[in-house]
Amino acid sequence: MQSDAVAQQHLIRSAKADEDNFLLYQQKLEEARIGDALDERRILTYRGRTASAPALPVHSMLLWFALSIGLAVPPA
């Protein structure tokens, strides 16, 4: 009786794993089909990174300092 229960649990796990594999296969097949359709119509997909702030400022503080001094000094 106990060996039948173990065998049944093994079959249930196996069936669940097969179902999961089948669903994954179907999903990958659908993604491939969509990709082929987009390629056929020459539609590009862009998976870029999100925008982020630059690590360093665009202009140095020395440039801003020189510019402010140059504008502050009256012409002679």
Side-chain angles (χ1 to χ4, degrees):
M1 181 78 127
Q2 189 175 2
S3 65
D4 291 338
V6 171
Q8 183 180 12
Q9 288 176 353
H10 176 69
L11 289 173
I12 290 172
R13 280 194 304 269
S14 178
K16 179 65 176 159
D18 289 342
E19 181 183 5
D20 290 344
N21 288 336
F22 176 74
L23 292 175
L24 180 64
Y25 173 76
Q26 288 290 82
Q27 180 183 2
K28 295 290 184 181
L29 187 65
E30 181 67 13
E31 288 173 0
R33 186 189 67 78
I34 290 171
D36 290 343
L38 291 175
D39 289 343
E40 183 179 307
R41 294 183 183 152
R42 297 175 193 237
I43 298 173
L44 299 177
T45 56
Y46 178 71
R47 295 181 185 172
R49 294 183 290 185
T50 58
S52 62
L56 298 174
V58 177
H59 302 290
S60 69
M61 291 302 284
L62 182 61
L63 174 70
W64 289 113
F65 181 71
L67 186 61
S68 62
I69 295 297
L71 292 174
V73 174

